[in-house]
């Protein structure tokens, strides 16, 4: 049992260390494939750059002790359940660690829900990503 626990811990650390880093265009293409409207992609890729530098495994601890998870830095007080059992509204009904996987689908699904419920201002980094942004079309030329 102890050996298993240590193995799982080692695997968890390895996953964290070798997490997936996307690029502006790989993120844009995968989000389009997941059904995100194309006219949102310039903004989402800007937010992901500012929030996580496209790092799917990033966890940031805020000054109030809450943590933000993954490529879109989703907060563990409102949107996902942290593994230490602290209270969360868990609006996206998901464990926070499930945002840290290579597959961006869980982060994208929850981010779309946050956008519907709170709008873009849920992301503090919107201040860098508001107004007119560079076109995303260069990511979709054949
Ligand atoms: C991505 O974030 C993880 C967790 O903070 C970190 O260990 C890793 O070095 C980061 N990757 C890059 C390329 O910065
Ligand atoms: C803690 O700070 C983060 C980042 O500023 C914020 O998103 C979150 O809502 C705050 N949590 C509470 C409970 O106020
Ligand atoms: C973003 O732009 C809109 C429309 O111009 C403006 O109303 C809003 O205050 C801006 N928000 C931020 C965070 O800059």
């Amino acid at each position: 049992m102890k050996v298993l626990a240590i193995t799982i811990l080692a695997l968890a650390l390895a996953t964290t260390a070798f997490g997936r880093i996307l690029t502006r265009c790989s993120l844009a293409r995968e989000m389009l494939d997941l059904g995100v409207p194309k006219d949102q992609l310039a903004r989402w890729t800007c937010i992901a750059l500012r929030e996580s530098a496209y790092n799917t495994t990033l966890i940031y601890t805020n000054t109030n002790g809450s943590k933000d998870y993954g490529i879109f830095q989703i907060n563990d007080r409102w949107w996902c359940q942290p593994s230490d059992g602290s209270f969360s509204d868990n609006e996206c009904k998901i464990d926070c660690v499930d945002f840290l996987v290579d597959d961006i689908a869980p982060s994208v699904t929850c981010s779309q829900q946050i956008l519907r419920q709170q709008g873009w201002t849920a992301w503090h980094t919107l201040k860098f990503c508001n107004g007119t942004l560079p076109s995303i079309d260069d990511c979709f030329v054949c």
Side-chain angles (χ1 to χ4, degrees):
M1 202 53 197
K2 194 172 182 187
V3 172
L4 182 63
I6 289 167
T7 308
I8 290 169
L9 180 65
L11 282 173
L13 290 173
T15 309
T16 307
F18 301 110
R20 184 171 177 224
I21 313 294
L22 285 87
T23 64
R24 177 172 178 268
C25 283
S26 64
L27 177 61
R29 288 190 211 105
E30 287 186 29
M31 290 186 81
L32 189 70
D33 286 348
L34 289 166
V36 175
K38 198 174 180 184
D39 64 7
Q40 293 182 6
L41 296 178
R43 180 147 296 124
W44 281 124
T45 51
C46 177
I47 287 173
L49 172 63
R50 296 291 186 159
E51 291 287 347
S52 67
Y54 309 125
N55 186 341
T56 58
T57 57
L58 188 70
I59 301 174
Y60 179 80
T61 304
N62 297 299
T63 45
N64 63 17
S66 71
K67 292 191 173 76
D68 297 333
Y69 285 74
I71 192 159
F72 296 122
Q73 290 289 283
I74 294 172
N75 187 264
D76 74 353
R77 168 61 182 77
W78 307 108
W79 305 105
C80 62
Q81 179 59 54
S83 54
D84 69 2
S86 7
F87 177 79
S88 171
D89 281 15
N90 192 8
E91 293 272 335
C92 290
K93 307 212 172 343
I94 187 169
D95 290 334
C96 298
V97 290
D98 290 346
F99 290 135
L100 307 178
V101 296
D102 288 355
D103 180 1
I104 63 166
S107 283
V108 170
T109 303
C110 185
S111 296
Q112 289 288 305
Q113 184 181 336
I114 297 169
L115 182 61
R116 283 194 302 274
Q117 288 183 223
Q118 288 204 340
W120 293 106
T121 52
W123 284 270
H124 302 296
T125 49
L126 181 67
K127 62 176 178 283
F128 304 113
C129 302
N130 206 7
T132 307
L133 293 164
S135 170
I136 201 74
D137 288 345
D138 55 303
C139 294
F140 297 98
V141 289
C142 301

